Coordinates of all heavy atoms in Angstrom, one line a residue:
K2 N 0.8 -1.2 0.0 CA 0.0 0.0 0.0 C 0.8 1.3 0.0 O 0.6 2.3 -0.7 CB -0.9 -0.1 1.2 CG -1.9 1.0 1.3 CD -2.8 0.8 2.5 CE -3.9 2.0 2.6 NZ -4.8 1.8 3.7
E3 N 1.9 1.3 0.8 CA 2.8 2.4 0.9 C 3.5 2.7 -0.5 O 3.7 3.8 -1.0 CB 3.8 2.3 2.0 CG 4.8 3.4 2.1 CD 4.1 4.8 2.5 OE1 2.9 4.8 2.7 OE2 4.9 5.8 2.5
G4 N 3.9 1.6 -1.1 CA 4.6 1.7 -2.4 C 3.6 2.3 -3.5 O 4.0 3.1 -4.3
L5 N 2.4 1.9 -3.4 CA 1.4 2.4 -4.3 C 1.1 4.0 -4.1 O 1.0 4.8 -4.9 CB 0.1 1.7 -4.2 CG 0.2 0.3 -4.7 CD1 -1.2 -0.5 -4.4 CD2 0.4 0.2 -6.2
R6 N 1.1 4.3 -2.7 CA 0.9 5.7 -2.3 C 2.1 6.6 -2.8 O 1.9 7.7 -3.4 CB 0.7 5.8 -0.8 CG 0.5 7.3 -0.4 CD 0.7 7.4 1.1 NE 2.0 7.4 1.5 CZ 2.9 8.4 1.4 NH1 2.6 9.5 0.8 NH2 4.2 8.3 1.8
L7 N 3.3 6.1 -2.6 CA 4.5 6.9 -3.1 C 4.5 7.1 -4.5 O 4.8 8.2 -5.0 CB 5.8 6.2 -2.6 CG 6.1 6.1 -1.2 CD1 7.4 5.3 -1.0 CD2 6.4 7.5 -0.6
Q8 N 4.1 6.1 -5.3 CA 4.1 6.2 -6.7 C 2.9 6.9 -7.4 O 2.9 7.4 -8.5 CB 4.3 4.8 -7.4 CG 5.6 4.2 -7.0 CD 5.7 2.9 -7.6 OE1 5.7 2.8 -8.8 NE2 5.9 1.9 -6.9
A9 N 1.8 6.9 -6.6 CA 0.5 7.5 -7.1 C 0.1 6.8 -8.4 O -0.3 7.4 -9.3 CB 0.6 9.0 -7.3
R10 N 0.4 5.4 -8.4 CA 0.0 4.7 -9.6 C -0.9 3.4 -9.1 O -0.7 2.9 -8.1 CB 1.2 4.1 -10.4 CG 2.0 5.3 -10.9 CD 3.3 4.8 -11.4 NE 3.2 4.1 -12.7 CZ 4.2 3.8 -13.5 NH1 5.4 4.0 -13.0 NH2 4.0 3.3 -14.6
P11 N -1.8 3.0 -9.9 CA -2.6 1.8 -9.5 C -1.7 0.6 -9.7 O -0.8 0.4 -10.5 CB -3.7 1.7 -10.6 CG -3.2 2.5 -11.8 CD -2.3 3.5 -11.2
R12 N -2.0 -0.5 -8.9 CA -1.4 -1.7 -8.8 C -1.3 -2.4 -10.2 O -0.3 -3.0 -10.6 CB -2.2 -2.7 -7.9 CG -1.6 -4.1 -7.8 CD -2.4 -5.0 -6.8 NE -2.4 -4.5 -5.4 CZ -1.4 -4.6 -4.6 NH1 -0.2 -5.0 -5.0 NH2 -1.5 -4.2 -3.4
E13 N -2.4 -2.3 -11.1 CA -2.4 -2.8 -12.4 C -1.2 -2.3 -13.3 O -0.9 -3.0 -14.2 CB -3.7 -2.6 -13.1 CG -4.9 -3.1 -12.2 CD -5.4 -2.1 -11.2 OE1 -5.4 -0.9 -11.3 OE2 -5.6 -2.7 -10.0
D14 N -0.8 -1.1 -13.0 CA 0.3 -0.6 -13.8 C 1.6 -1.2 -13.5 O 2.6 -0.9 -14.2 CB 0.3 1.0 -13.6 CG -0.8 1.8 -14.3 OD1 -1.6 1.1 -15.0 OD2 -0.8 3.0 -14.2
L15 N 1.7 -1.8 -12.4 CA 3.0 -2.3 -11.9 C 3.1 -3.9 -11.8 O 4.1 -4.4 -12.5 CB 3.2 -1.8 -10.5 CG 3.1 -0.2 -10.3 CD1 3.1 0.1 -8.9 CD2 4.3 0.5 -11.1
V16 N 2.2 -4.5 -11.2 CA 2.3 -6.0 -10.9 C 2.2 -6.7 -12.2 O 1.3 -6.5 -13.0 CB 1.2 -6.4 -9.9 CG1 1.3 -8.0 -9.7 CG2 1.5 -5.7 -8.5
G17 N 3.1 -7.7 -12.4 CA 3.1 -8.5 -13.6 C 3.9 -7.9 -14.7 O 4.0 -8.6 -15.8
R18 N 4.4 -6.8 -14.5 CA 5.2 -6.1 -15.6 C 6.7 -6.1 -15.2 O 7.0 -6.0 -14.0 CB 4.8 -4.7 -15.9 CG 3.3 -4.7 -16.4 CD 2.8 -3.3 -16.6 NE 3.6 -2.6 -17.6 CZ 3.5 -1.3 -17.7 NH1 2.7 -0.5 -17.0 NH2 4.3 -0.6 -18.6
S19 N 7.5 -6.1 -16.1 CA 9.0 -6.0 -15.8 C 9.3 -4.7 -15.2 O 8.8 -3.6 -15.6 CB 9.8 -6.2 -17.1 OG 11.1 -5.8 -17.0
H20 N 10.2 -4.6 -14.2 CA 10.7 -3.4 -13.7 C 11.3 -2.5 -14.7 O 11.0 -1.3 -14.7 CB 11.7 -3.7 -12.6 CG 12.4 -2.4 -12.0 ND1 11.8 -1.7 -11.1 CD2 13.5 -1.8 -12.5 CE1 12.6 -0.7 -10.9 NE2 13.6 -0.7 -11.7
W21 N 12.0 -3.1 -15.6 CA 12.6 -2.3 -16.7 C 11.6 -1.7 -17.7 O 11.9 -0.6 -18.3 CB 13.6 -3.2 -17.5 CG 14.5 -3.9 -16.6 CD1 14.7 -5.3 -16.6 CD2 15.3 -3.5 -15.6 NE1 15.6 -5.7 -15.6 CE2 16.0 -4.6 -14.9 CE3 15.6 -2.2 -15.0 CZ2 16.8 -4.5 -13.9 CZ3 16.5 -2.1 -13.9 CH2 17.1 -3.2 -13.4
E22 N 10.5 -2.4 -17.8 CA 9.4 -1.8 -18.6 C 8.7 -0.6 -17.9 O 8.4 0.4 -18.5 CB 8.4 -2.9 -19.0 CG 7.1 -2.4 -19.7 CD 6.1 -3.5 -19.9 OE1 6.3 -4.6 -19.5 OE2 5.0 -3.2 -20.5
V23 N 8.5 -0.8 -16.6 CA 7.8 0.2 -15.9 C 8.7 1.4 -15.7 O 8.2 2.6 -15.7 CB 7.3 -0.3 -14.6 CG1 6.7 0.7 -13.7 CG2 6.3 -1.4 -14.8
Y24 N 10.0 1.2 -15.5 CA 11.0 2.2 -15.1 C 12.1 2.1 -16.1 O 13.1 1.8 -15.8 CB 11.5 2.1 -13.8 CG 10.4 2.0 -12.7 CD1 10.0 0.9 -12.1 CD2 9.8 3.2 -12.3 CE1 9.0 0.8 -11.2 CE2 8.7 3.1 -11.3 CZ 8.4 2.0 -10.8 OH 7.4 1.9 -9.9
P25 N 11.8 2.5 -17.4 CA 12.9 2.2 -18.4 C 14.2 2.9 -18.3 O 15.3 2.5 -18.7 CB 12.3 2.6 -19.8 CG 11.1 3.5 -19.3 CD 10.7 3.1 -17.9
D26 N 14.2 4.1 -17.6 CA 15.3 4.9 -17.4 C 16.2 4.4 -16.2 O 17.2 5.0 -15.9 CB 14.9 6.3 -17.1 CG 13.9 6.6 -16.0 OD1 13.3 5.6 -15.6 OD2 14.0 7.6 -15.3
T27 N 15.8 3.3 -15.5 CA 16.6 2.8 -14.4 C 17.6 1.7 -14.7 O 18.4 1.4 -13.8 CB 15.7 2.4 -13.2 OG1 14.9 1.2 -13.7 CG2 14.7 3.5 -12.8
Y28 N 17.6 1.1 -15.8 CA 18.4 0.0 -16.1 C 19.9 0.3 -15.8 O 20.6 -0.4 -15.1 CB 18.3 -0.5 -17.5 CG 19.0 -1.8 -17.7 CD1 18.5 -3.1 -17.3 CD2 20.3 -1.9 -18.2 CE1 19.2 -4.2 -17.4 CE2 21.0 -3.0 -18.4 CZ 20.4 -4.2 -18.0 OH 21.1 -5.4 -18.1
D29 N 20.4 1.4 -16.4 CA 21.8 1.8 -16.2 C 22.0 2.7 -15.0 O 23.1 3.1 -14.8 CB 22.4 2.4 -17.5 CG 22.5 1.3 -18.6 OD1 22.9 0.2 -18.3 OD2 22.2 1.7 -19.7
S30 N 21.0 3.1 -14.3 CA 21.1 4.0 -13.2 C 21.7 3.3 -12.0 O 21.7 2.0 -11.9 CB 19.7 4.6 -12.9 OG 18.9 3.6 -12.2
P31 N 21.9 4.0 -10.9 CA 22.4 3.3 -9.7 C 21.4 2.3 -9.1 O 21.8 1.3 -8.6 CB 22.6 4.5 -8.7 CG 23.0 5.7 -9.6 CD 22.2 5.5 -10.8
V32 N 20.0 2.6 -9.3 CA 19.0 1.7 -8.9 C 19.1 0.4 -9.7 O 19.1 -0.7 -9.1 CB 17.6 2.3 -9.1 CG1 16.4 1.3 -8.9 CG2 17.4 3.5 -8.2
G33 N 19.2 0.4 -11.0 CA 19.3 -0.8 -11.8 C 20.6 -1.6 -11.5 O 20.6 -2.8 -11.4
Q34 N 21.7 -0.8 -11.3 CA 22.9 -1.4 -11.0 C 22.8 -2.2 -9.6 O 23.3 -3.3 -9.4 CB 24.1 -0.4 -10.9 CG 24.4 0.2 -12.3 CD 25.3 1.3 -12.2 OE1 25.9 1.6 -11.2 NE2 25.5 2.0 -13.4
L35 N 22.2 -1.6 -8.7 CA 22.0 -2.1 -7.4 C 21.2 -3.4 -7.5 O 21.5 -4.4 -6.9 CB 21.3 -1.2 -6.3 CG 20.9 -1.7 -5.0 CD1 22.2 -2.0 -4.2 CD2 20.1 -0.7 -4.3
Y36 N 20.0 -3.3 -8.1 CA 19.2 -4.5 -8.3 C 20.0 -5.7 -8.9 O 19.8 -6.8 -8.4 CB 17.9 -4.3 -9.2 CG 16.9 -3.4 -8.5 CD1 15.9 -2.7 -9.3 CD2 16.7 -3.3 -7.1 CE1 14.9 -2.0 -8.7 CE2 15.7 -2.5 -6.5 CZ 14.9 -1.9 -7.3 OH 13.8 -1.2 -6.7
R37 N 20.7 -5.4 -10.0 CA 21.4 -6.5 -10.7 C 22.5 -7.1 -9.8 O 22.7 -8.2 -9.8 CB 21.9 -6.0 -12.1 CG 20.8 -5.7 -13.0 CD 21.2 -5.5 -14.4 NE 22.4 -4.6 -14.6 CZ 22.3 -3.2 -14.6 NH1 21.1 -2.7 -14.6 NH2 23.4 -2.5 -14.8

């Protein structure tokens, strides 16, 4: 619930989709590097 609040996006826009699809600018960012 808190994640949805922070993002102000519905669950359907996020769950079941690739992180890289939802946040395409993060792959080479520090966030993407951390996840990988």
Side-chain angles (χ1 to χ4, degrees):
K2 187 176 178 179
E3 180 64 6
L5 294 172
R6 185 193 70 76
L7 288 174
Q8 296 183 60
R10 296 171 79 169
R12 178 180 295 291
E13 303 79 45
D14 285 1
L15 306 167
V16 175
R18 296 177 61 196
S19 164
H20 172 86
W21 313 125
E22 177 187 355
V23 176
Y24 308 101
D26 58 333
T27 63
Y28 188 83
D29 290 320
S30 75
V32 171
Q34 293 169 11
L35 175 67
Y36 286 162
R37 292 192 313 276

